[in-house]
Amino acid sequence: MSSPTLTLNDLIATKLQEIADDAWWDHRILRAQDGNGRVLQLGTAAVREAWYCLADHGHGLCNEPLLTHRQASTLLGMYADDEPIPAPQIKPVEIELLDPAVGAFVPDALYHFSDVVAEFQKAQG
């Protein structure tokens, strides 16, 4: 009798689903399905939405796109490891994400798009 084969892709997919389930349970954020994410443009840069917020911050459901540290840095024109949003209005969501550059799951933060836009406008003067 042969036992089922578990592949690395299966393990990664399972971990990604666990992270998505925990993010919904703990923070009320959802992962945008492939192809369904909005294109977020700021200045001359654009990124695709990967997560969005369905929490109630006091004014009803948020429904705002959430950006990873790397995405926020890209939109703000920062390529260093500095914190892209030093004082966000809405607390960033701490989450573990798959980083293809590192090839592992690493801690990250998801920032609300409005905080990224506010930081961009502040930098523009």
Side-chain angles (χ1 to χ4, degrees), residues 1-115:
M1 219 185 236
S2 65
S3 61
T5 303
L6 190 63
T7 66
L8 182 57
N9 285 343
D10 293 334
L11 290 173
I12 291 171
T14 300
K15 179 68 172 172
L16 289 173
Q17 188 58 51
E18 288 172 357
I19 290 169
D21 292 344
D22 290 345
W24 172 250
W25 184 260
D26 296 338
H27 305 287
R28 291 298 184 250
I29 64 172
L30 286 174
R31 187 172 50 189
Q33 299 302 315
D34 291 338
N36 290 340
R38 296 168 272 196
V39 174
L40 308 171
Q41 185 173 355
L42 195 56
T44 59
V47 297
R48 182 167 291 279
E49 170 191 37
W51 296 86
Y52 61 99
C53 180
L54 287 179
D56 184 346
H57 303 296
H59 308 288
L61 293 182
C62 180
N63 200 33
E64 193 173 323
L66 296 166
L67 293 102
T68 65
H69 182 280
R70 180 174 287 144
Q71 288 176 316
S73 295
T74 298
L75 291 182
L76 295 172
M78 300 166 49
Y79 296 102
D81 288 334
D82 297 346
E83 208 53 42
I85 315 294
Q89 293 294 310
I90 303 173
K91 185 179 180 206
V93 177
E94 301 293 329
I95 194 168
E96 190 177 25
L97 296 175
L98 179 62
D99 187 341
V102 177
F105 288 92
V106 295
D108 206 340
L110 298 176
Y111 299 94
H112 282 74
F113 186 55
S114 59
D115 283 323

